[in-house]
Amino acid sequence: MNDPGLGEPIAENANNVEKLFKQKEGEVEEDYQTPSRWWFASTALPLVAGTFGPMATAFSICALAESWGMSIPPNETEEQGDEIPDPKWLLAVNAVSLVFALAANMSLLLNMAQRLSFSVAQPITIVGWYISSFLLVALVAFAPSGLRLPPTNHAFTQAYYYGIMAAAIYFIISSLMVVTVLGAYKGHYPREFKLTISQRTLMLQTISFLVYLLSGAAVFAHVEGWKFLDAVYWADFTLLTVGIGDIVPTTHRGRALLFPYAIGGILILGLVIGSIRSLVLEKGKKRMGVRKVEKERVKILAKLKSENGKVLSPIQAEKSPSSNGSSALELSRRKEEFGLMRKAQDRAVRSSQWVSLFISATAWFALWLLGAVVFMKSERAQSWSYFQSIYFAYTSLLAIGYGDFYPTSNSGKPFFVFWSLLAVPTMTILIGNMGDTIVKWLKDMTLWIGEWTILPGERPVRGIIKKGAARFTGGWWTTNETGAEEIVPGICREPKYHDNRHNTDASSIYLPTQLGPRNNKNLTPSHHSHPRTLLQEIRHVIFHLNIPHHRYSFDEWAYFLYLIGEEESSLTLHRAPQTGREGRRISSDEGGGWSWLGKKSPLVGRKSEPEWVLERLMERLEGVLEGEGGKVGDN
């Protein structure tokens, strides 16, 4: 989120309004046009690496904690097997792999904290993870012949499978960082990481959760006499509130320690979930939503130009016999242009919500169904069918944890730990996306039904029917006639907006100088530059910052633009929107006008509308207080 008031004050000359939209041109206008793949490479991939790197390191510790091979007595299972001590060379190579992994993780964290330069940290991170991966792969490959296992009745321990998972994660995240480095050196984004608070918080909370899990496992393994990796498996399903129940504390000391341990772990997990929601569902969705808006904007422009839409061409003074007539026509045209931009925004919101839901649901189903395949293969000793594996995976993903099915193999338990940790962000994102679509639709339907039954209101039956039809179809079947109200997007069409507070139309359109402030008082010629007026509006806009997705009507926008030195009815400050080449920076010589459907429109970019307005009002106030404010009444 961009803080209001940043950047240099804009010029107050109304004829030079381009400077109003040129502020931070490279950061704002270019930012939303940057292809999503480069944003993903510069932000998402390093964050994934920074989050999964500590997980892989935790698995490396598990791979070093116990021996890799075991012998199984006749007629017994892996749970009753006897561990075979690892040769010293295996322990040494395993420890070296862990050291390289720790160095790589520390280098990446220092780079993200801007304590280590990009050019120094990234080679250390990438090479360190690759070396760790290759060393573990070599150990896994030579383990069958180097562990001196008996010819029959032998198996690999949980530590062996943790080593496999750590090697795979190291290789994947190091490859992701290679993509990030290549993009930086090709100039697609700066060679540095500027993490936001939510990104830093997510990484630190993930590290804290893994440290907490392993530390608790070590304590309970000592108290209860468990194997360390069995304690890791127990700590995982305990802190994730799955509660399978195949391993439980039996001593008074262990049960007493469970009280604070479980509460602390659940609190940390809640913080992790909150950070995931803040980062992915709010920040990431906002970034992708801006790209969707840009695509819809380009589509609308292409359609209008193919139809020779006059709405794109500003009104010229000589086309009307009077200046007031031309101004009224221009204001009407701008309002229609504003409505088209709102339509692009609504389409983008609706499309991005359902696309996000589809992607997150696909990821969840993949985790469920593919995870069930792995559990079926790993639990061959229990003769699990695929349906039983699906049943176990489903009850575990939803944290039901009946305990009638649970993994017992040395491969099933480590995979369950990894799989259940993946389920945390997957479930969080899915539930968040359902809240924006299906859950919201069901909530609206429940309220509508309630108006018919147990929650009757003052609205007549006809009004209830029209409201429900408008709510669920986005204004397709009916329209709102009761004043200013924004109908939420429906499942069939885009929402429609109605604002009858001023009863404006093409024949009785108002001019900005007819607009009053919040109490409908008439403006004086110098009202827009009066510090008291600006301060009053700044106070209102600050309040709007706390309202999620707050949007202003055209009348409100016209008033705000008037306050900062521009009139929507001006015949000289506007121009037809320029589509240009997607992703191209807008040059300063493309003309001084702007369009609601253009790239310089305040409705595009990552800033919310209250943020944009507040920043410009603050700049206007600064200019007025410095004695540099222009007077529109003198123009």
Side-chain angles (χ1 to χ4, degrees):
M1 180 181 294
N2 294 317
D3 294 329
L6 296 179
E8 297 294 330
I10 59 174
E12 298 302 318
N13 189 345
N15 293 325
N16 197 18
V17 74
E18 179 189 8
K19 293 184 179 180
L20 176 67
F21 301 96
K22 185 182 174 184
Q23 193 246 357
K24 288 190 176 180
E25 180 181 67
E27 179 179 344
V28 179
E29 294 181 0
E30 183 75 5
D31 179 65
Y32 80 88
Q33 299 174 32
T34 302
S36 298
R37 60 181 178 273
W38 294 122
W39 171 86
F40 193 80
S42 64
T43 304
L45 294 187
L47 188 62
V48 169
T51 304
F52 278 83
M55 180 189 296
T57 302
F59 289 168
S60 290
I61 295 173
C62 293
L64 191 59
E66 295 181 4
S67 301
W68 281 25
M70 65 166 44
S71 60
I72 303 175
N75 302 322
E76 297 291 345
T77 63
E78 293 179 351
E79 294 181 288
Q80 289 78 39
D82 298 322
E83 293 186 4
I84 299 175
D86 290 335
K88 293 182 179 181
W89 62 266
L90 189 146
L91 293 173
V93 175
N94 206 346
V96 170
S97 172
L98 178 59
V99 170
F100 275 103
L102 290 172
N105 277 289
M106 185 60 64
S107 175
L108 180 62
L109 292 177
L110 290 175
N111 182 210
M112 290 183 171
Q114 298 182 354
R115 303 294 179 85
L116 198 61
S117 66
F118 186 90
S119 58
V120 174
Q122 292 312 303
I124 296 176
T125 299
I126 294 173
V127 172
W129 277 338
Y130 270 132
I131 291 177
S132 297
S133 176
F134 294 151
L135 290 177
L136 287 175
V137 168
L139 290 180
V140 169
F142 287 105
S145 59
L147 292 179
R148 298 187 296 272
L149 299 174
T152 58
N153 296 331
H154 67 270
F156 294 108
T157 63
Q158 296 182 50
Y160 174 81
Y161 295 100
Y162 275 114
I164 293 177
M165 292 188 297
I169 296 175
Y170 285 140
F171 183 82
I172 292 173
I173 59 179
S174 56
S175 299
L176 295 180
M177 292 307 300
V178 168
V179 175
T180 299
V181 170
L182 288 177
Y185 277 94
K186 287 185 177 181
H188 294 291
Y189 40 82
R191 300 179 187 180
E192 59 181 348
F193 298 122
K194 293 184 179 180
L195 295 185
T196 62
I197 294 178
S198 59
Q199 291 169 343
R200 294 177 187 271
T201 301
L202 177 59
M203 291 181 58
L204 293 176
Q205 289 172 349
T206 302
I207 295 173
S208 300
F209 180 78
L210 292 170
V211 171
Y212 190 83
L213 187 148
L214 294 182
S215 301
V219 171
F220 278 90
H222 175 74
V223 171
E224 295 291 333
W226 298 334
K227 293 181 179 179
F228 174 71
L229 297 185
D230 283 339
V232 170
Y233 163 71
W234 170 85
D236 175 77
F237 72 67
T238 298
L239 298 184
L240 298 183
T241 68
V242 179
I244 293 178
D246 54 330
I247 300 177
V248 296
T250 56
T251 65
H252 291 303
R253 184 184 302 175
R255 291 170 177 170
L257 289 175
L258 175 64
F259 298 151
Y261 180 70
I263 289 295
I266 292 173
L267 289 176
I268 298 176
L269 180 63
L271 294 174
V272 172
I273 292 174
S275 296
I276 293 173
R277 180 175 180 82
S278 173
L279 181 62
V280 178
L281 298 181
E282 296 177 9
K283 303 299 191 303
K285 185 181 293 185
K286 182 178 180 181
R287 175 61 175 78
M288 296 302 179
V290 170
R291 286 287 300 162
K292 284 281 188 180
V293 171
E294 169 65 8
K295 292 180 179 179
E296 291 295 335
R297 183 189 71 85
V298 173
K299 288 181 182 179
I300 288 179
L301 286 178
K303 182 178 180 180
L304 289 174
K305 289 188 175 182
S306 65
E307 298 173 354
N308 296 321
K310 296 182 179 180
V311 69
L312 301 179
S313 300
I315 301 297
Q316 303 298 324
E318 61 271 12
K319 293 184 179 181
S320 179
S322 66
S323 175
N324 287 339
S326 297
S327 298
L329 290 175
E330 173 63 8
L331 186 59
S332 179
R333 184 197 69 82
R334 290 280 289 182
K335 187 171 184 178
E336 184 178 357
E337 194 179 64
F338 178 87
L340 291 173
M341 190 63 210
R342 280 288 190 234
K343 186 176 181 180
Q345 288 180 313
D346 297 332
R347 285 181 175 178
V349 169
R350 180 170 172 267
S351 173
S352 61
Q353 286 179 344
W354 289 100
V355 168
S356 298
L357 176 62
F358 174 78
I359 294 174
S360 57
T362 301
W364 187 87
F365 275 101
L367 188 69
W368 174 31
L369 300 178
L370 296 179
V373 173
V374 177
F375 285 121
M376 182 183 66
K377 297 295 183 180
S378 63
E379 299 302 320
R380 289 190 299 268
Q382 299 189 72
S383 301
W384 281 11
S385 65
Y386 185 59
F387 178 78
Q388 290 173 325
S389 300
I390 288 178
Y391 169 78
F392 166 75
Y394 185 81
T395 56
S396 298
L397 279 176
L398 298 185
I400 298 174
Y402 287 128
D404 49 346
F405 289 90
Y406 51 84
T408 60
S409 66
N410 290 337
S411 58
K413 290 179 180 178
F415 177 75
F416 177 85
V417 173
F418 173 65
W419 177 81
S420 59
L421 291 176
L422 286 182
V424 173
T426 306
M427 286 292 297
T428 301
I429 297 172
L430 175 62
I431 293 173
N433 289 329
M434 290 179 64
D436 294 335
T437 51
I438 297 176
V439 175
K440 183 176 179 61
W441 186 82
L442 292 175
K443 178 183 176 181
D444 293 338
M445 178 178 288
T446 302
L447 294 176
W448 184 69
I449 295 174
E451 292 182 347
W452 279 86
T453 54
I454 61 175
L455 298 174
E458 298 180 356
R459 188 188 298 268
V461 174
R462 181 183 177 186
I464 295 176
I465 296 175
K466 294 180 67 176
K467 180 182 178 181
R471 183 181 298 273
F472 300 126
T473 64
W476 181 26
W477 293 343
T478 185
T479 59
N480 176 32
E481 300 174 353
T482 60
E485 181 178 357
E486 178 177 321
I487 302 174
V488 297
I491 60 174
C492 299
R493 299 286 289 272
E494 296 80 18
K496 293 183 178 180
Y497 294 88
H498 309 276
D499 193 341
N500 298 329
R501 289 172 294 179
H502 299 278
N503 294 322
T504 57
D505 53 35
S507 61
S508 61
I509 199 74
Y510 57 83
L511 298 180
T513 52
Q514 295 175 284
L515 278 172
R518 304 290 173 177
N519 57 4
N520 291 325
K521 294 180 180 178
N522 293 328
L523 292 175
T524 62
S526 62
H527 207 104
H528 79 292
S529 60
H530 196 286
R532 183 176 180 180
T533 302
L534 295 173
L535 288 173
Q536 287 176 342
E537 296 308 319
I538 287 172
R539 182 182 63 183
H540 285 103
V541 174
I542 289 176
F543 174 77
H544 296 156
L545 291 174
N546 299 322
I547 303 176
H549 314 298
H550 184 75
R551 305 205 297 190
Y552 296 115
S553 67
F554 177 78
D555 298 335
E556 291 172 313
W557 269 110
Y559 178 59
F560 287 135
L561 290 172
Y562 175 76
L563 288 180
I564 62 179
E566 178 188 359
E567 293 188 10
E568 274 292 83
S569 60
S570 171
L571 303 178
T572 59
L573 301 179
H574 308 146
R575 68 167 184 178
Q578 304 292 319
T579 54
R581 180 179 177 183
E582 187 176 3
R584 177 179 61 87
R585 184 183 297 274
I586 304 171
S587 61
S588 59
D589 57 354
E590 289 186 355
W594 64 280
S595 166
W596 284 110
L597 284 168
K599 293 182 178 180
K600 297 181 181 181
S601 170
L603 300 185
V604 298
R606 292 204 299 174
K607 289 183 181 179
S608 67
E609 295 181 22
E611 287 175 332
W612 193 98
V613 171
L614 181 61
E615 182 174 334
R616 269 53 180 190
L617 289 176
M618 293 291 290
E619 291 171 350
R620 176 66 171 178
L621 179 61
E622 183 179 351
V624 170
L625 294 177
E626 291 178 355
E628 298 177 357
K631 295 183 178 181
V632 171
D634 298 333
N635 292 339

